Amino acid sequence: MKNIFVYIGSRNEESRLFRYVHQIINHARAHCSAIGNIDIYSPLNSNLLPSTGCKNCFEKGFCPSEEAANDDGEQIKARIEQADIVILASPVYSHNVSSDMKLLIDRLSYWAHLFKLTGKAGIVVTTAESNGASFVSAYLEKTMSFMGASIEHTVNFVNSEQDLADMYAEEAAAKLIEICDDSYRAKPTNQQEVTFQTMKMILLDYPHDHFEYRYWRDHGLFDCQSYEELLNRHVKV
Ligand SMILES: Cc1cc2nc3c(=O)[nH]c(=O)nc-3n(C[C@H](O)[C@H](O)[C@H](O)COP(=O)(O)O)c2cc1C
């Protein structure tokens, strides 16, 4: 069974973004018995405090904001770690992701140094009135890819292509079903290989008590000769 984590970066439950994400998921659920748990988070059912810039996450591996009663960062991170598929869905606001989506990305930034999403498939969903979706989807793809995910599908719902929306949703659902099959294997990109080698070289020179050094050592990243090797270690048996 494959678990899915979704973050919808919109505060508008009536939004097309909510509608299309649910359309994709419901369609996939109806046609695939391999889908396990689906966690859908948004700023309407969770709260994330903005980054304070302290860099504690990079240096010590935890976020002091997560001790606050009104912060769900720890829970959200745990759900993402349990997921096999991560869907990031954002409306296009001024050619960028929504501030809520950016907040999530800021809070997860340090995962880009840890390849935390290795072995997970990433899907990107955006909604826009007419323009700017390519910037937003490229940014979300890049962000997840640097964290280690394999980007398997991107869908931009632009209002001017309203008549194609059902077809786009069905295509996304079909891709989701494909990823849920046991035969699915994530593949590394050239960029991930280069980033892995660069990070490895830099981190090997870090003080041995630094969080990132310890993480790479304890999770076997230093032992891998390539990102592909790390990816293969994540294959579920
Ligand atoms: C603050 C704000 C900024 C926006 N900026 C853009 C933009 O740059 N390009 C665009 O095509 N649409 C823009 N829109 C329109 C939304 O992207 C559009 O309504 C989209 O469908 C998201 O709607 P949804 O909330 O129904 O999913 C903007 C909307 C808001 C509220």
Side-chain angles (χ1 to χ4, degrees):
M1 295 293 258
K2 299 281 175 91
N3 297 324
I4 303 174
F5 174 90
V6 189
Y7 190 80
I8 304 177
S10 173
R11 290 176 181 248
N12 178 4
E13 209 154 13
E14 304 303 314
S15 68
R16 293 186 305 127
L17 192 60
F18 268 90
R19 179 150 45 91
Y20 292 137
V21 166
H22 281 98
Q23 193 175 332
I24 294 166
I25 284 170
N26 292 341
H27 190 97
R29 234 299 184 234
H31 294 87
C32 176
S33 54
I35 297 179
N37 197 44
I38 303 177
D39 287 313
I40 304 180
Y41 280 77
S42 79
L44 296 177
N45 65 5
S46 62
N47 189 53
L48 286 169
L49 295 171
S51 170
T52 62
C54 70
K55 295 195 279 189
N56 209 83
C57 52
F58 289 98
E59 287 157 9
K60 303 216 170 80
F62 69 93
C63 177
S65 294
E66 284 165 16
E67 281 156 29
N70 62 344
D71 187 84
D72 297 312
E74 199 176 349
Q75 186 189 123
I76 288 175
K77 288 194 303 196
R79 295 297 166 96
I80 298 176
E81 288 192 63
Q82 286 157 11
D84 302 286
I85 301 161
V86 178
I87 302 177
L88 292 187
S90 179
V92 172
Y93 289 167
S94 294
H95 284 207
N96 220 313
V97 292
S98 66
S99 47
D100 286 300
M101 179 57 79
K102 186 58 169 60
L103 222 157
L104 173 71
I105 291 168
D106 288 352
R107 292 287 301 274
L108 300 178
S109 290
Y110 72 110
W111 282 9
H113 290 186
L114 311 175
F115 292 94
K116 266 278 192 191
L117 301 186
T118 298
K120 301 185 194 301
I123 292 180
V124 166
V125 182
T126 74
T127 47
E129 184 57 43
S130 57
N131 58 88
S134 59
F135 301 120
V136 173
S137 54
Y139 174 68
L140 290 171
E141 287 171 5
K142 179 177 74 175
T143 303
M144 279 207 279
S145 181
F146 271 97
M147 291 180 193
S150 298
I151 308 305
E152 298 298 349
H153 194 70
T154 292
V155 54
N156 298 315
F157 292 99
V158 181
N159 249 340
S160 50
E161 297 178 333
Q162 192 73 40
D163 49 333
L164 299 175
D166 284 341
M167 187 187 82
Y168 288 163
E170 274 179 36
E171 273 175 11
K175 195 68 204 184
L176 194 52
I177 292 168
E178 215 180 292
I179 302 166
C180 288
D181 195 88
D182 277 346
S183 61
Y184 169 77
R185 294 284 176 273
K187 291 191 184 68
T189 65
N190 288 342
Q191 181 64 63
Q192 285 172 326
E193 284 292 1
V194 170
T195 310
F196 181 79
Q197 299 301 344
T198 309
M199 289 289 301
K200 186 175 173 181
M201 203 170 65
I202 293 169
L203 287 172
L204 277 169
D205 271 345
Y206 266 37
H208 291 194
D209 59 348
H210 190 283
F211 163 70
E212 288 176 356
Y213 181 93
R214 285 188 286 113
Y215 183 93
W216 274 62
R217 183 195 59 202
D218 298 346
H219 291 80
L221 277 75
F222 284 137
D223 301 331
C224 292
Q225 299 313 304
S226 66
Y227 187 63
E228 187 168 19
E229 189 182 334
L230 181 67
L231 204 46
N232 289 338
R233 290 185 182 192
H234 276 75
V235 173
K236 275 188 180 175
V237 284

